[in-house]
Amino acid sequence: MMYIDLFIVVILLLIVIFCFRRFSSFVYAFAIIDIFLRILNFVQNNVPVPELQALIGKYFPDSIEAIIMAYTNGIIETIILWAYVIIYAIFLGYIVRIFIHKKK
């Protein structure tokens, strides 16, 4: 049960990679999963329902960054966190491009 959070995220990302096979789909899925986990974390911390808090706390990690920091350390952690930031920078580029094109 210790690696359930890592297992869930890896399975979701593998499904996206095998179904869509495009790098942009991976980036979007990565961001969607991370944002979803962060929203769940917010709900867990701000909704005073103990059963909901326990459910979210048991089955969902805080974010992909939290998973990286929980299962790695040292230089490997630093490299993976930089990859995480680069993926988010690419995601930001995709979002800005969509925003600019829709503005016209």
Side-chain angles (χ1 to χ4, degrees):
M1 193 71 163
M2 184 174 149
Y3 297 106
I4 189 97
D5 50 356
L6 180 63
F7 180 73
I8 290 171
V9 172
V10 169
I11 291 299
L12 289 173
L13 288 174
L14 287 175
I15 289 170
V16 169
I17 289 170
F18 288 122
C19 290
F20 296 106
R21 297 180 190 250
R22 292 179 48 202
F23 180 71
S24 62
S25 297
F26 170 77
V27 171
Y28 282 120
F30 186 88
I32 289 167
I33 292 168
D34 194 50
I35 292 168
F36 175 72
L37 292 173
R38 289 175 185 270
I39 290 170
L40 284 178
N41 185 39
F42 178 83
V43 169
Q44 177 187 9
N45 292 332
N46 293 298
V47 175
V49 178
E51 295 83 12
L52 181 63
Q53 291 174 339
L55 179 71
I56 293 172
K58 183 176 181 180
Y59 292 109
F60 296 99
D62 293 343
S63 65
I64 293 177
E65 179 185 13
I67 295 171
I68 294 168
M69 294 175 69
Y71 296 109
T72 61
N73 58 23
I75 191 74
I76 300 297
E77 179 181 10
T78 304
I79 292 169
I80 295 173
L81 285 175
W82 273 106
Y84 173 83
V85 170
I86 290 168
I87 289 171
Y88 257 105
I90 293 168
F91 174 70
L92 179 62
Y94 287 155
I95 296 298
V96 168
R97 187 176 65 193
I98 289 169
F99 178 74
I100 290 171
H101 287 326
K102 285 194 175 202
K103 190 136 175 110
K104 293 181 180 182

